[in-house]
Amino acid sequence: MRSVRKTVLLAILASVVLVLALLHSWPTRASTAVDIWQRPGPIEERHLEERLPEPDHRFGNIPFHVRDHVASLLPRNGCVCEGESGGVNLPFAQLLFPRVSAHPLHAAFEASELEEMKRRRAKEYKSFQERTQTPADLLLIAEANNPLQYPTQGVEVRPLRTIIVPGLALYDLPRDHYLINLTATLGTLNVAAEVDGVKIKGDGEMRMALSSILLPNLNRQLQFVTYTNTLFHPSTADTVQFETDGHQASFSIKIRHSVTPKLYNTGSKGEYNISALVTIATKTFLRYDKLQDLINSIRRYYPTVTIVIADDSETPQTISGPYIEHYIMPFGKGWFAGRNLAASQVTTKYLLWVDDDFVFTSNTKLEKLVDVLERTTLDLVGGAVREATGYTATYRQTISIESGEEDGDCLHMRRGFHHAIQGFPNCVVTDGVINFFLARTEKVQQVGFDPRLARVAHLEFFIDGLGSLHVGSCDDVIVNHATKIRLPWVSQSESDKTYAKFRYPPASSDATHTKNGLLFFKNRFQCLTRN
C-alpha cells in the first residue's frame, strides 16, 4: 500500500515539475498598447512644416492681373447656397424653366437644440477625419534641382511585411563624403545586401544613415534599402523622409491589405444569361394589384429571373411563384429599410431596382444595361421611365459639394450629366438617376440605404455614394410607369388612400425634417441648392 502511495506522489510531483517547466519555457508575446489613430507623428510634422512653401518676398513687387473667369473657379474660404429669384409663376414652370432653389438645413432643428447639434457634429467630424485621412493625403512639394531621386507614387507594402524601396539614388553632388538619412514613422528601415565602402548606421530602426566617399557605391547600396511595416493598420500610409546635406525629400508608402475580390460565376457563354447575372429587387406597400402587374410583365420577357420583394404592408398577402422571394417586414418600416432588406438577399452579380408599379415592355432590354456595366468602369446605370402621357424621364442629376468652414459644406444638385460614354451613344455619366437602375450588387450593399429615411428619399442614396459610385444613365432602356391619373368618377380605394398618406407626407412632416436633419448632421451640410 505504501509503495502505491509513493508511486502516486512521485507521479504528481513529476507532473507539477513538468507543468512548471512548460510555463517557464512557453514563448510569451509582449502585449503593447498601440495608438492606431492615423495622424502624423511629431517627427513627421516637423519635417512637413519645414517643407511648407513660404511666400517668396523677392517677387512681391511684381504686378499681376487677376483673370476673373479663372479665379472665380477656385475654391473659396467657405460656401453659400443662393437661390434664383423671380421667374414665371405658371403651371409646369419649374419643369419647363427650372430655377435654382436654396434650402438651409439647420431649420430641421429647434433653435434651442441647434448649438448642441453643431457641437456634436463637429466632434463626430473630427473623429471621422482622424479615421479616414492618412499621410498619403498630405501635400508634398518637390524641391527644385534636388539631387535626390525617389519614388513619387506606387510604393505599397502589406501590413507587417517588407519591401525593397525602389528608385532611391543621389546624383550630381560632387563632395568628398556622402551621407544619406532615411526616417520612417510606422516601420523600420534596413538593407537586403551590403555594399563595400558603405557604412550603415541604424539598420533595423526607424532612422537609418548610409555614408560613403564613393557615390557609385552609395547608389548601389540605395538599391537594397528595405522598409518593414511594424505598426499594424489595415489601410494607412507612412511618409518617409529622405535627406542629404542641404536637401530633403518626402515620399509615401501605402500600407494596406489588397482588396479581396468578390467574383460571380455566371456560367454564361456567348450572350448574356440574364437569369444568372441579374436579380430584380423591389419594395412594396399595400399595392398588390400593381405588384402583380409588375411580376406578370417581368415573366413575359424574363421567365426565370429571380424577383426579391420586401413588403411592409400591415396585412401582408402571399406572393408566391417560381423564382420569387417574398420577405415580410414590420408594418410601415419604410422605404429605405425595404431597399436594404431586398438588396441584402441578392446573390447575383447585378441588382436591378424597380418600383412596384412599373411595367416591363419590349423596350425594357436588360441586356443593354448589362452590356454597359460589363464593358465600362461604371458601378450603376439607370434607364428611363415612361409615363402614361408618353413623357419619358431619366432624372439625371449632377451632385457636387462645395467646401465650407465650421458651419458645414454646401450641397449642390442640378439636372443634367457630365459627358457622353464612348461606344454607347444613348448613355452618359452622371451622379444620380431615376428609380430604375442596374448596379453592381456589392457596390449597392457597400453604400447602403439609410433606414431612417422611411417615407421621402431617393437621391440620398447617391449622396451617400458620392465618391465611391461611378454612375451612368441610358435613355434607350425604358420601363413603363403605371398611370397615376385618377378619373373623377372612379372612387379611391382605402388601400390607395392609406398608401398616399404614407407616400406623400406634407413638407412640414417629420419625414422631411428627418431627411434634412440627416443631411445636416450625418453628411455635414449646412444647406443645399437644386433646380
Side-chain angles (χ1 to χ4, degrees):
M1 187 68 177
R2 289 181 179 177
S3 61
V4 173
R5 289 179 179 175
K6 186 177 181 180
T7 303
V8 173
L9 288 172
L10 288 173
I12 294 173
L13 182 61
S15 299
V16 171
V17 172
L18 181 60
V19 169
L20 290 174
L22 284 171
L23 290 174
H24 179 72
S25 60
W26 194 270
T28 57
R29 182 175 180 180
S31 176
T32 22
V34 174
D35 181 3
I36 62 172
W37 286 112
Q38 300 182 41
R39 52 175 178 261
I43 296 177
E44 187 175 350
E45 287 176 351
R46 176 174 57 81
H47 280 293
L48 291 174
E49 286 173 4
E50 293 171 357
R51 293 178 56 74
L52 288 175
E54 293 290 338
D56 196 327
H57 300 291
R58 295 175 300 169
F59 309 137
N61 60 344
I62 300 176
F64 60 88
H65 306 280
V66 175
R67 286 188 171 184
D68 291 331
H69 67 285
V70 177
S72 62
L73 302 176
L74 296 172
R76 297 175 291 179
N77 293 327
C79 65
V80 293
C81 291
E82 297 177 341
E84 294 178 340
S85 58
V88 182
N89 189 16
L90 295 173
F92 307 107
Q94 183 64 14
L95 181 64
L96 299 173
F97 311 103
R99 288 180 294 165
V100 175
S101 60
H103 308 272
L105 298 174
H106 64 77
F109 303 97
E110 298 292 336
S112 58
E113 63 179 343
L114 183 58
E115 289 305 315
E116 175 62 15
M117 284 294 173
K118 288 183 177 180
R119 186 193 66 79
R120 289 187 209 165
R121 187 181 70 170
K123 180 182 177 182
E124 285 293 307
Y125 183 58
K126 182 181 179 182
S127 176
F128 167 79
Q129 288 179 308
E130 291 175 336
R131 290 195 316 273
T132 58
Q133 292 182 349
T134 76
D137 301 316
L138 297 174
L139 173 66
L140 299 177
I141 305 296
E143 295 178 357
N145 298 319
N146 193 329
L148 295 169
Q149 174 183 294
Y150 54 94
T152 58
Q153 64 178 23
V155 185
E156 187 170 319
V157 64
R158 300 289 180 262
L160 306 182
R161 297 297 180 90
T162 301
I163 59 165
I164 293 279
V165 181
L168 299 179
L170 176 63
Y171 288 108
D172 300 327
L173 196 65
R175 288 181 179 175
D176 296 331
H177 183 265
Y178 300 93
L179 174 65
I180 289 289
N181 287 310
L182 290 148
T183 306
T185 56
L186 301 179
T188 59
L189 299 153
N190 213 322
V191 292
E194 297 181 18
V195 176
D196 293 340
V198 178
K199 292 182 180 180
I200 305 169
K201 183 180 179 182
D203 44 323
E205 299 176 5
M206 296 174 72
R207 183 178 177 88
M208 183 175 69
L210 307 176
S211 61
S212 178
I213 60 173
L214 302 172
L215 183 57
N217 293 44
L218 182 61
N219 278 325
R220 183 60 169 161
Q221 184 65 75
L222 285 171
Q223 293 178 349
F224 299 109
V225 170
T226 66
Y227 172 87
T228 300
N229 171 239
T230 56
L231 180 61
F232 176 82
H233 195 287
S235 180
T236 184
D238 196 348
T239 300
V240 177
Q241 309 299 326
F242 185 33
E243 302 169 285
T244 190
D245 294 337
H247 298 279
Q248 178 183 317
S250 302
F251 60 90
S252 295
I253 298 178
K254 291 183 179 179
I255 304 164
R256 63 183 179 183
H257 286 298
S258 58
V259 177
T260 304
K262 292 183 179 179
L263 308 179
Y264 296 85
N265 182 7
T266 61
S268 58
K269 296 180 180 178
E271 295 183 357
Y272 297 128
N273 181 352
I274 296 301
S275 296
L277 284 164
V278 177
T279 297
I280 299 175
T282 191
K283 157 75 174 58
T284 195
F285 180 69
L286 301 176
R287 303 190 297 183
Y288 290 106
D289 54 341
K290 292 181 172 59
L291 175 63
Q292 193 58 55
D293 291 341
L294 167 66
I295 294 172
N296 293 340
S297 70
I298 292 172
R299 288 292 174 251
R300 181 178 179 184
Y301 300 98
Y302 301 101
T304 60
V305 71
T306 298
I307 304 172
V308 175
I309 303 164
D311 184 352
D312 63 346
S313 302
E314 186 172 17
T315 308
Q317 298 181 15
T318 300
I319 306 295
S320 60
Y323 309 104
I324 289 180
E325 299 177 13
H326 185 203
Y327 296 94
I328 306 301
M329 307 168 64
F331 171 60
K333 183 63 176 175
W335 172 225
F336 266 23
R339 279 185 154 192
N340 268 335
L341 174 57
S344 72
Q345 300 305 305
V346 175
T347 59
T348 51
K349 185 175 184 179
Y350 299 118
L351 177 159
L352 180 79
W353 184 265
V354 296
D355 283 355
D356 62 353
D357 60 346
F358 286 171
V359 177
F360 277 41
T361 71
S362 58
N363 292 319
T364 316
K365 297 291 187 183
L366 302 187
E367 292 82 358
K368 289 185 178 181
L369 298 181
V370 169
D371 192 44
V372 173
L373 294 187
E374 286 285 318
R375 293 170 53 197
T376 69
T377 60
L378 293 178
D379 300 309
L380 181 153
V381 58
V385 177
R386 177 170 291 157
E387 303 293 341
T389 59
Y391 174 74
T392 302
T394 57
Y395 200 53
R396 294 166 177 168
Q397 300 279 323
T398 63
I399 305 172
S400 62
I401 298 173
E402 187 180 4
S403 296
E405 295 182 328
E406 291 183 1
D407 285 338
D409 299 332
C410 299
L411 174 65
H412 304 294
M413 296 187 290
R414 299 289 186 271
R415 301 177 191 179
F417 59 90
H418 298 296
H419 59 80
I421 301 175
Q422 186 175 0
F424 297 93
N426 294 95
C427 304
V428 297
V429 171
T430 185
D431 295 313
V433 295
I434 203 161
N435 269 348
F436 171 52
F437 58 78
L438 185 75
R440 302 184 191 276
T441 300
E442 73 273 12
K443 293 298 289 189
V444 171
Q445 294 170 344
Q446 174 188 325
V447 176
F449 302 90
D450 194 324
R452 290 170 290 187
L453 295 167
R455 303 286 170 260
V456 182
H458 175 60
L459 284 178
E460 288 73 15
F461 166 73
F462 295 99
I463 293 169
D464 285 344
L466 197 65
S468 62
L469 280 181
H470 195 189
V471 179
S473 172
C474 300
D475 59 15
D476 59 340
V477 180
I478 304 168
V479 69
N480 280 4
H481 198 183
T483 181
K484 293 183 179 180
I485 300 175
R486 186 168 59 90
L487 300 176
W489 56 85
V490 178
S491 60
Q492 193 176 22
S493 67
E494 288 302 317
S495 63
D496 286 343
K497 291 178 182 178
T498 305
Y499 175 84
K501 185 179 83 171
F502 277 85
R503 179 65 180 86
Y504 305 109
S508 59
S509 70
D510 291 341
T512 303
H513 282 116
T514 297
K515 182 174 72 169
N516 290 341
L518 288 172
L519 289 173
F520 178 86
F521 195 104
K522 184 185 80 171
N523 301 120
R524 198 180 167 270
F525 296 129
Q526 59 169 297
C527 58
L528 71 88
T529 65
R530 64 188 348 158
N531 65 357

